[in-house]
Amino acid sequence: MKFSVEKKDLVANIQSLYNIAPSKNALPILTNYLIEANPDDNSIRFTATDLDITVIARFSLSVSEGGRLAVSAKDFTEIINSMPEAMIHCEKIEDKLHISCGHVDFDLHCADVEQYPLIPEANLENAIEIDARMFRKMVANTHFAASIEANRPIFTGIYWKLSPEYQIMAATDGKKIADFQLNQSHPDLPETEKIIPPKGLIFLRKTVNDENKKIQMRFESNRVLFHYGNFTVFSHVLEGRYPEYRKAMPTENNNILTVDKSLLLDAIRRISILSPDEPFRIKMEINATKLEISSKDRERGEAVEQIDKYEFAGEPTKIAFNYKYLQSILNVIETDKVLFKLSNSQGPALIYNMDLEANYEVTFLLMPLRIT
Amino acid sequence: MSKAQKVFALVDCNSFYASCERVFRPDLKGKPIGVLSNNDGCIVALSHELKKLGIQRGVPAFKIRNETVRHKITLFSSNYALYGDLSARVMSILSQFTPELEIYSIDEAFLSLTGFAEDSNLLAYGREIKETVEKCTGVPISVGIATTKTLAKIANHVAKKYRKFNGVFNLAGHPQMRKVLESISVKDIWGVGFRYSKMLNKRGIFNAWELSIQPDMWVLEKMTIIGMRTIRELRGEPCIELDMIQEPKKGIVSSKSFSKPVTNKQELYEAVAQYTVCALDKLRRQSSVAHDIMVFLTTNPFKDESQYANYISGSLPTPSAYVPEFITLAKDLMNEIYKDGYRYKKAGVMISGIESQYQAELDFFQPAYVDDYRKKVMDTIDYINKRLGKDKITFAAVGVGQEWSMRREFLSRNYTTSWNELPIVKA
């Protein structure tokens, strides 16, 4: 194998790929990239997989000699990132990959490529095309709410309901819910529901750019295939029934608060300095004359900040939140102002973009902490 | 001593476990008593009379079989239900003498006496504490009074060591402070460990007085800021405050060696279930809930046979103190690490991810333990067991025979915690 490529072109194609290859695994071969060079069409394929998610980056470059090999994803990525901005030459010499750029030379040991798992061929027949930028928005608004705990496996996935009339993407960990409904008809979409691990979707979200407007997508029996630009992503789907999370959404939260998002985020950032480590509690006291954010740590002290610019209608309310969860929601609020619909100190809070004019609706639900 | 000067008392129960046994066995007054460790292995607590026979803490019970007969030594299996209850009674009485009480251990407590009594009355106040505790509980105590917690420890040591003080010694403003400190070896100073005492001895520092006059820079360099705090306390400057809030435990371990090797998976299940019940009992007593449980198994490393040890952790979706949930999880976990063909000597569980039941995060899909029927069930079981005696109601998963359970051949009765085991008085 022998190929040459400009550093910037190589980095653009493999920079997100590194996160797919596991750093440690019971199968050490998975910590490698599978690199396959084809001189016939001057193309190269980089594959990374953790067996649940497989990502293939295929792009054109100058291939003088074909072949396939496996090298450490971590080392290869670090080496490429460290190289000068110039042409990089790679050549397999015996059982090493020689990487050179200007006066810099590396010889990287190759792993046994025969141990690399068989990668399925991407079959894009009957693939559906979806809007890439809207897909990116859907994932960005929901993925953070998925659970990272393995004790409720279904909660680790992102729920995606498709239909010709609308789409819903949602995630929850039991403490917060993010729900994105796209009200846009798409006759090609099947009527189906899938629960997909976030990793592959987050990869695609990072990859979407202004050049390519469409993602091709195909559902197979226990996996979903995406194709976007130079990338192909296979992701398994989670088996099981997603909870009926919309039933948790209250209909009578009549205490309405609107506040500038950046003012609130700044206040939370300051007040959280003295928030106890677990469960990262901050308290909000809201009435017609006061919006106060406070925290208290028995050993370290207490902090209070009042926000002057806000609007509130309803009963005076005191409510406590895990500030990290609240920040994660505020960080994806698109509008300058954020709308809270609250009930009492133990009822979940509905959080929305304020006066968002779009063909989609985003609803966040955040469970409060008990007031102590 | 000025009125603003802080005053602390350290109350220490004398030979606590042995004294507890003696409370309900007055016939053993003045006789040697020993309390054994789990599985009746070693002597862990000795009465004064037993110490005088030259028996040392930690000696295996079988090694003193002859002495036991010859000197009519009475041995007891450890009865933590009895000791815990008597300890609570002692602490409750102590709390009547001060609003500021730090329960330091099962048999020790610091009391703040600041502003409580005039200098001249401190000794009398100490004697009153001693008389009240002994009269109400039957447990003998020693009281050490001083201006810092470290000096109070020393005062208590003196009170216990010299009979002429009748168990109460006041070191606050003592005219012979230097002489007292010179009588205390550095290894007996609170906060000076074995390693430091060896280092200090090498440098010619043997007693508390010699340590107290060392230059600050030298102490900081050799013993860090923690050592400096101890030295300042020896000089009479209070640096260690009373810690009155008992922090809830962050991890609860329940584990015991089996009385005989266990080779049967069902028996191992029972043991793990029993230890889970015990750990969660402690968890509920501190009004906490937990997310995680770790299960561990081990063979006996001291036996020349096939060895295996392993552990595994798992967690619940929402924190709980409900025994059935944890037993189910613990059994599933044990199944994953259990291997046939080994002679298991010990198993245990560790509960972690602990938080106050009132501060646990709420969940959309499952009610919080504190608001749920699960708490009502556990409260009811706890109430019945408190009224009628330990384990009157328990879970079938723990088995009925429990042949694996700890050996306790010399167990005294639960005189204070079980209606059926109350002392019987014949008139």
Side-chain angles (χ1 to χ4, degrees):
Chain A
M1 178 190 290
K2 192 174 177 183
F3 62 87
S4 301
V5 59
E6 281 288 339
K7 178 190 170 181
K8 64 177 171 49
D9 293 336
L10 188 52
V11 167
N13 281 288
I14 67 165
Q15 63 181 359
S16 300
L17 207 59
Y18 171 49
N19 294 326
I20 302 298
S23 55
K24 283 179 189 167
N25 196 287
L27 286 173
I29 189 69
L30 299 184
T31 61
N32 292 275
Y33 287 141
L34 172 67
I35 306 176
E36 297 163 292
N38 185 349
D40 298 337
D41 61 357
N42 268 330
S43 74
I44 196 155
R45 274 170 42 131
F46 279 76
T47 303
T49 182
D50 63 3
L51 296 183
D52 287 333
I53 316 291
T54 300
V55 178
I56 301 163
R58 184 177 180 280
F59 51 100
S60 300
L61 44 63
S62 167
V63 178
S64 342
E65 207 177 290
R68 63 198 292 267
L69 56 83
V71 283
S72 160
K74 177 175 182 285
D75 291 339
F76 186 83
T77 308
E78 283 183 5
I79 288 168
I80 298 305
N81 284 335
S82 73
M83 289 293 195
E85 296 294 333
M87 185 67 85
I88 293 175
H89 306 280
C90 295
E91 182 178 6
K92 189 182 180 204
I93 301 170
E94 296 179 351
D95 60 349
K96 289 178 187 165
L97 179 65
H98 180 75
I99 309 165
S100 63
C101 182
H103 299 297
V104 188
D105 291 273
F106 284 90
D107 284 299
L108 194 57
H109 283 284
C110 297
D112 179 5
V113 72
E114 298 308 320
Q115 287 186 21
Y116 207 86
L118 197 63
I119 302 302
E121 281 302 317
N123 177 5
L124 290 167
E125 199 178 328
N126 300 324
I128 307 160
E129 284 197 336
I130 57 169
D131 183 315
R133 289 168 70 182
M134 189 52 75
F135 175 85
R136 178 173 66 186
K137 193 180 279 291
M138 289 166 80
V139 175
N141 273 275
T142 52
H143 76 87
F144 66 88
S147 176
I148 52 170
E149 306 286 343
N151 48 38
R152 285 195 280 204
I154 212 76
F155 283 26
T156 63
I158 293 179
Y159 170 76
W160 195 6
K161 180 177 170 64
L162 299 105
S163 82
E165 290 82 35
Y166 65 93
Q167 292 177 59
I168 296 170
M169 195 175 271
T172 181
D173 60 358
K175 319 284 187 294
K176 55 189 178 298
I177 294 173
D179 175 278
F180 189 108
Q181 177 159 340
L182 175 62
N183 300 312
Q184 186 178 51
S185 66
H186 190 325
D188 294 342
L189 287 183
E191 195 85 50
T192 188
E193 294 175 11
K194 299 286 176 192
I195 305 161
I196 305 172
K199 198 173 174 182
L201 303 186
I202 292 169
F203 174 86
L204 278 165
R205 178 198 142 215
K206 285 181 183 166
T207 312
V208 168
N209 53 39
D210 292 337
E211 272 179 41
N212 299 296
K213 309 282 187 212
K214 296 289 180 189
I215 293 174
Q216 288 178 291
M217 178 178 73
R218 186 170 187 272
F219 290 113
E220 298 174 352
S221 62
N222 61 349
R223 68 180 184 192
V224 56
L225 162 68
F226 297 96
H227 182 75
Y228 179 76
N230 291 340
F231 301 98
T232 304
V233 177
F234 295 95
S235 173
H236 81 293
V237 293
L238 298 174
E239 297 291 331
R241 190 177 153 82
Y242 205 74
E244 295 184 43
Y245 66 90
R246 282 195 170 182
K247 284 189 177 169
M249 291 187 176
T251 51
E252 292 194 0
N253 277 13
N254 297 324
N255 300 320
I256 311 298
L257 168 72
T258 53
V259 58
D260 188 283
K261 182 185 88 165
S262 57
L263 281 181
L264 185 55
L265 270 172
D266 284 348
I268 292 170
R269 184 173 46 78
R270 281 187 284 269
I271 295 306
S272 62
I273 292 170
L274 287 185
S275 163
D277 279 351
E278 290 282 353
F280 305 110
R281 177 190 305 274
I282 57 163
K283 197 166 96 181
M284 292 172 76
E285 189 174 343
I286 313 151
N287 57 45
T289 56
K290 185 167 77 170
L291 168 55
E292 187 177 278
I293 319 285
S294 63
S295 66
K296 185 176 181 181
D297 184 290
R298 190 163 57 83
E299 288 175 2
R300 294 184 299 154
E302 32 201 276
V304 182
E305 178 166 343
Q306 287 197 8
I307 296 177
D308 296 331
K309 287 185 184 170
Y310 72 98
E311 287 166 36
F312 180 70
E315 297 292 316
T317 306
K318 286 180 187 173
I319 193 163
F321 293 114
N322 177 322
Y323 78 84
K324 295 209 168 195
Y325 295 162
L326 183 54
Q327 277 177 327
S328 68
I329 291 171
L330 294 174
N331 283 335
V332 292
I333 290 285
E334 291 176 56
T335 53
D336 292 340
K337 286 190 173 179
V338 55
L339 170 70
F340 287 80
K341 290 187 178 178
L342 307 164
S343 59
N344 55 39
S345 63
Q346 286 205 37
L350 285 158
I351 305 171
Y352 300 94
N353 288 287
M354 181 75 189
D355 299 330
L356 183 68
E357 288 181 10
N359 59 350
Y360 56 86
E361 298 158 39
V362 196
T363 307
F364 302 104
L365 192 64
L366 180 58
M367 205 64 174
L369 300 169
R370 283 175 203 276
I371 296 275
T372 51
Chain B
M1 196 175 63
S2 71
K3 278 200 168 178
Q5 177 72 58
K6 288 190 175 181
V7 183
F8 299 92
L10 174 68
V11 171
D12 186 10
C13 302
N14 302 344
S15 306
F16 181 59
Y17 293 175
S19 299
C20 290
E21 297 292 354
R22 199 179 261 153
V23 168
F24 295 96
R25 290 285 306 275
D27 57 307
L28 296 177
K29 195 173 178 188
K31 294 184 178 156
I33 296 176
V35 177
L36 301 168
S37 61
N38 289 344
N39 281 315
D40 295 344
C42 305
I43 296 207
V44 289
L46 305 84
S47 69
H48 176 67
E49 297 78 8
L50 190 57
K51 284 178 197 165
K52 274 172 67 179
L53 290 173
I55 307 287
Q56 293 195 333
R57 185 181 300 203
V59 66
F62 72 87
K63 282 195 176 174
I64 57 159
R65 213 167 277 154
N66 291 339
E67 287 91 333
T68 304
V69 176
R70 195 178 334 131
H71 299 292
K72 295 184 179 164
I73 299 169
T74 307
L75 295 177
F76 289 94
S77 304
S78 40
N79 183 347
Y80 292 110
L82 177 66
Y83 312 150
D85 186 60
L86 282 178
S87 169
R89 291 173 191 220
V90 169
M91 299 307 167
S92 165
I93 292 161
L94 291 178
S95 68
Q96 295 166 17
F97 286 90
T98 175
E100 295 178 47
L101 175 79
E102 175 188 340
I103 299 171
Y104 185 64
S105 68
I106 192 166
D107 61 349
E108 275 182 292
F110 286 102
L111 289 73
S112 169
L113 302 186
T114 306
F116 248 64
E118 295 298 322
D119 298 355
S120 54
N121 289 341
L122 280 172
L123 197 61
Y125 200 62
R127 285 182 183 140
E128 190 185 336
I129 293 171
K130 180 174 165 64
E131 278 165 23
T132 311
V133 169
E134 292 180 358
K135 188 176 167 191
C136 296
T137 66
V139 176
I141 62 168
S142 302
V143 184
I145 301 166
T147 52
T148 70
K149 286 170 80 176
T150 306
L151 288 173
K153 273 268 194 184
I154 288 175
N156 191 286
H157 185 82
V158 174
K160 211 175 260 182
K161 192 171 175 184
Y162 301 103
R163 298 190 80 171
K164 64 180 176 180
F165 298 122
N166 290 319
V168 183
F169 183 68
N170 178 15
L171 191 53
H174 200 281
Q176 290 182 299
M177 175 71 81
R178 177 173 174 166
K179 200 175 162 191
V180 173
L181 293 184
E182 279 176 342
S183 73
I184 303 294
S185 161
V186 283
K187 73 173 172 21
D188 294 329
I189 301 170
W190 189 44
V192 178
F194 174 71
R195 226 183 67 219
Y196 276 137
S197 64
K198 270 178 80 174
M199 180 274 287
L200 293 168
N201 288 170
K202 269 189 187 169
R203 289 165 190 274
I205 303 163
F206 293 96
N207 62 52
W209 173 257
E210 288 166 350
L211 182 59
S212 73
I213 57 173
Q214 296 305 312
D216 289 1
M217 290 308 288
W218 182 87
V219 175
L220 271 172
E221 188 191 331
K222 300 291 176 193
M223 299 177 71
T224 74
I225 190 75
I226 307 292
M228 191 63 228
R229 205 173 59 171
T230 299
I231 273 78
R232 287 175 62 188
E233 285 242 319
L234 286 175
R235 294 172 188 162
E237 299 171 41
C239 300
I240 309 171
E241 294 296 324
L242 281 191
D243 190 1
M244 290 178 292
I245 297 167
Q246 280 194 294
E247 289 288 337
K249 291 185 175 73
K250 299 272 164 56
I252 298 173
V253 178
S254 178
S255 165
K256 286 186 186 92
S257 297
F258 304 132
S259 55
K260 62 179 181 64
V262 170
T263 53
N264 176 313
K265 192 175 183 182
Q266 179 57 32
E267 285 192 329
L268 214 49
Y269 271 151
E270 289 176 7
V272 167
Q274 178 65 60
Y275 300 149
T276 306
V277 170
C278 292
L280 290 178
D281 187 42
K282 288 180 190 164
L283 184 73
R284 289 194 304 280
R285 267 189 268 151
Q286 65 175 37
S287 302
S288 295
V289 286
H291 269 284
D292 309 313
I293 184 166
M294 184 178 82
V295 176
F296 53 93
L297 311 169
T298 179
T299 52
N300 188 346
F302 301 107
K303 292 271 184 194
D304 186 17
E305 56 191 28
S306 301
Q307 297 293 323
Y308 174 67
N310 207 345
Y311 65 91
I312 184 169
S313 298
S315 56
L316 295 175
T318 57
S320 171
Y322 187 53
V323 170
E325 274 177 299
F326 273 100
I327 286 184
T328 306
L329 178 58
K331 279 181 143 187
D332 289 345
L333 293 169
M334 200 201 95
N335 259 334
E336 289 193 36
I337 57 169
Y338 174 82
K339 279 189 183 177
D340 243 341
Y342 290 95
R343 289 158 55 83
Y344 292 95
K345 177 64 182 165
K346 191 175 182 179
V349 301
M350 185 172 92
I351 303 288
S352 58
I354 293 173
E355 55 194 321
S356 160
Q357 64 183 9
Y358 301 109
Q359 291 193 5
E361 288 189 329
L362 303 172
D363 189 278
F364 293 120
F365 306 104
Q366 187 168 17
Y369 170 77
V370 75
D371 302 325
D372 198 16
Y373 77 93
R374 293 170 295 162
K375 182 169 188 299
K376 289 183 182 144
V377 171
M378 294 316 304
D379 283 353
T380 307
I381 291 173
D382 291 341
Y383 176 76
I384 292 170
N385 285 338
K386 195 173 174 190
R387 291 282 306 236
L388 302 180
K390 194 169 179 280
D391 293 339
K392 273 288 172 284
I393 289 188
T394 189
F395 295 83
V398 306
V400 284
Q402 297 198 341
E403 287 183 18
W404 44 268
S405 68
M406 194 169 67
R407 193 185 302 130
R408 292 167 102 185
E409 288 176 10
F410 311 106
L411 187 64
S412 52
R413 296 156 70 104
N414 290 315
Y415 300 107
T416 59
T417 52
S418 168
W419 287 111
N420 295 336
E421 298 180 48
L422 284 177
I424 297 167
V425 179
K426 290 176 181 163

